[in-house]
Amino acid sequence: MPSRPASTTTSNRTRKRPEERRAEIVDAAAAIALDEGMERITLRAVAERLGVRPGLITHYFPAAEDLVVEAFTRASATERELFFPTGDRTPVGRLAHFVDHMERGLSAPLARLWLNAQHLSRFVPALDTALQQQDALDRERLRSIIVDGVASGDFGRPAGAGIAANRRGTEQTQLDVETAARRILLAVDGTGSYINSSAEVDPVQRGFVADVAEWTLGLAPGTLRATAAASADSAAPSA
Amino acid sequence: MPSRPASTTTSNRTRKRPEERRAEIVDAAAAIALDEGMERITLRAVAERLGVRPGLITHYFPAAEDLVVEAFTRASATERELFFPTGDRTPVGRLAHFVDHMERGLSAPLARLWLNAQHLSRFVPALDTALQQQDALDRERLRSIIVDGVASGDFGRPAGAGIAANRRGTEQTQLDVETAARRILLAVDGTGSYINSSAEVDPVQRGFVADVAEWTLGLAPGTLRATAAASADSAAPSA
DNA sequence: CAGTCCATTGGTCGCATGGCCAATAAGCGA
DNA sequence: TCGCTTATTGGCCATGCGACCAATGGACTG
């Protein structure tokens, strides 16, 4: 490791438009957050990824902590799109995709990031804020699916069981949608807690999100998994 | 902690039996883990709590990482007793205590520690192992309650819904106990994910563990909360 | 009481971090 | 083409970390 990387030759001084450079920095930090962890977002680490001197990062982010928060937001927002495709599927299909994506482990990087942020927000108040915002966005997406499903009659009686729902009072339909969305995301978080565990994934854990979703939405057990399988078949019909 | 000079003045050199000193160190580290976070377990921080020089910590823990792992195990094991009291209650009563203890927020320190460890185990393999062990111990306690409840007939038909349960095959009763235990702990973890959030606790979130427990154990919604309330009344009948 | 073991000290080293600052030069407008 | 703005560099500083080590002295043994 020479002090000056051989690959990027000496004096690579390229001057970029501030917005462009800034975006580059956030992207690099987001990449680090996803595959090394947020605490590895360091002035030197980010700078090295960009082939740039650490001082430059400070120039754009006088407080390094702000970069961490922005990197989280970026990474989180980007990964979300993989969960909620814009496809014009049925509500059950969209929910099945969501669950299936998780069960296949495709959401591992995001789950790790999420766990990372949940813990780190203990020490970084601004991160707590960002986390709540991202969480709200996820919940909104999920709510949207549920509302559609209720309207189409696919989701049985989300009114369903549970203390919390009864406790809320006021308007009934709207509130139960919120209850269902929150429960499903709580199940997601519960499953995500084990993302860093080396233990073999337990079947109960694997199916937990689907089970909770079917329970709270009044779907027949197995509906989501069956839907996901059917969807996969139609997408890639070859054996 | 009787022998603690007001200021860190005069050389208070007291020589203790190795086992005693070692226990002191682990206790101090566990305390730090609980109220400041595991990454704050540092040679200097632990030494300062004990009124001792950092080098002494190194003497007992040549690799600081080992102290972190041991501190987690200690803190976790200690806190667990608060969840599963040795009282001779009914299965429903024991489960209700467990849930109630959580809903009251009494488990906040443990939840924070747990979240901390779940993230940190990403970088500390030994911590991952310790975490799995502690998790197994929790699950064992819970399983014990469930088995008793099934035997007494308090828990309806834990066989119940869900894909995962069906998928397991083989013996039925035993496996569904495991399913229920895992589901409840997954709910606990999901709820715990929000432990560091400054947002107001949502009612759905607050009741999630109880809801999942009642769902997966075939209890009528509200049973656990009602039981906890009755138990509290009999314990403190005043007012 | 003298001698020995080892718990404990005090100090140092190398490393990584975030932050700060003056000097440089790239790109743009006059 | 010149000059100015400022993006970018290179360097330095204070802090906190784990690790290592020789010297000290407390407590126990003979």
Side-chain angles (χ1 to χ4, degrees), chain B residues 15-33:
Chain B
R15 184 195 181 104
K16 301 196 174 181
R17 297 191 352 267
E19 325 85 59
E20 185 186 355
R21 184 64 92 183
R22 188 187 166 90
E24 261 189 19
I25 293 174
V26 174
D27 282 341
I32 293 175

Side-chain angles (χ1 to χ4, degrees), chain A residues 2 5 25 31 89 93 95 100 112 122-123 130 141 158 172 198 203 209:
Chain A
I25 292 174
R89 297 158 124 157
L95 187 58
D100 183 60
R112 246 184 294 268
R122 176 176 182 176
F123 310 104
R141 296 278 189 117
Q172 191 67 336
S198 64
V209 174

Side-chain angles (χ1 to χ4, degrees), chain B residues 182-215:
Chain B
R182 291 199 110 106
R183 277 181 178 168
I184 293 172
L185 289 183
L186 280 163
V188 170
D189 287 329
T191 302
S193 294
Y194 293 83
I195 190 62
N196 291 325
S197 171
S198 64
E200 189 184 359
V201 178
D202 182 86
V204 175
Q205 175 186 327
R206 173 179 292 268
F208 188 59
V209 174
D211 291 345
V212 166
E214 289 161 356
W215 156 57

Side-chain angles (χ1 to χ4, degrees), chain A residues 116-137:
Chain A
N116 197 160
Q118 282 165 336
H119 167 64
L120 206 57
S121 69
R122 176 176 182 176
F123 310 104
V124 184
L127 184 57
D128 173 49
T129 304
L131 193 50
Q132 288 182 38
Q133 289 171 350
Q134 293 301 312
D135 191 63
L137 291 175

Side-chain angles (χ1 to χ4, degrees), chain B residues 25-230:
Chain B
I25 293 174
V26 174
D27 282 341
I32 293 175
L34 279 173
D35 55 56
E36 296 181 51
M38 290 201 273
E39 34 278 287
R40 296 269 222 265
I41 298 180
T42 187
L43 300 183
R44 287 164 179 83
V46 174
E48 192 179 0
R49 277 210 180 204
L50 296 176
V52 141
R53 312 262 67 202
L56 185 58
I57 313 300
T58 299
H59 176 68
Y60 285 92
F61 291 89
E65 203 176 87
D66 293 342
L67 173 57
V68 173
V69 174
E70 218 162 298
F72 164 74
T73 300
R74 165 69 57 94
S76 172
T78 302
E79 292 275 328
R80 184 183 4 261
E81 296 312 318
L82 304 177
F83 275 83
F84 300 102
T86 59
D88 44 2
R89 297 158 123 156
T90 73
V92 175
R94 285 189 284 159
L95 188 59
H97 171 89
F98 174 81
V99 168
D100 183 62
H101 192 269
M102 275 204 42
E103 291 194 8
R104 288 173 183 277
L106 302 180
S107 65
L110 182 55
R112 246 184 294 267
L113 178 72
W114 210 250
L115 184 59
N116 197 162
Q118 282 165 337
H119 167 65
L120 205 57
S121 70
R122 176 176 182 177
F123 310 104
V124 184
L127 183 57
D128 173 49
T129 303
L131 192 51
Q132 288 182 37
Q133 288 170 352
Q134 294 300 313
D135 190 63
L137 290 176
D138 276 340
R139 211 162 54 242
E140 188 179 317
R141 296 276 189 121
L142 202 46
R143 246 188 284 120
S144 153
I145 294 179
I146 297 173
V147 166
D148 290 354
V150 169
S152 70
D154 286 326
F155 297 155
R157 43 92 243 267
I163 305 173
N166 302 340
R167 171 144 327 210
R168 291 178 135 260
T170 60
E171 205 178 335
Q172 190 68 336
T173 335
Q174 168 67 3
L175 293 178
D176 284 330
V177 168
E178 175 73 9
T179 295
R182 291 199 110 106
R183 277 181 178 168
I184 293 172
L185 289 183
L186 280 163
V188 170
D189 287 329
T191 302
S193 294
Y194 293 83
I195 190 62
N196 291 325
S197 171
S198 64
E200 189 184 359
V201 178
D202 182 86
V204 175
Q205 175 186 327
R206 173 179 292 268
F208 188 59
V209 174
D211 291 345
V212 166
E214 289 161 356
W215 156 57
T216 199
L217 291 173
L219 292 171
T223 302
L224 292 175
R225 208 185 283 250
T227 303

Side-chain angles (χ1 to χ4, degrees), chain A residues 150 155-162 165-166 172-173 176-177 179-180 183 216-218:
Chain A
V150 169
F155 297 155
R157 43 92 243 269
N166 303 340
Q172 191 67 336
T173 337
D176 285 329
V177 168
T179 295
R183 280 182 177 168
T216 200
L217 292 174

Side-chain angles (χ1 to χ4, degrees), chain A residues 55-74:
Chain A
L56 184 59
I57 313 299
T58 300
H59 177 69
Y60 285 92
F61 292 90
E65 201 176 270
D66 293 342
L67 174 56
V68 173
V69 175
E70 218 161 298
F72 164 75
T73 301
R74 166 68 59 94

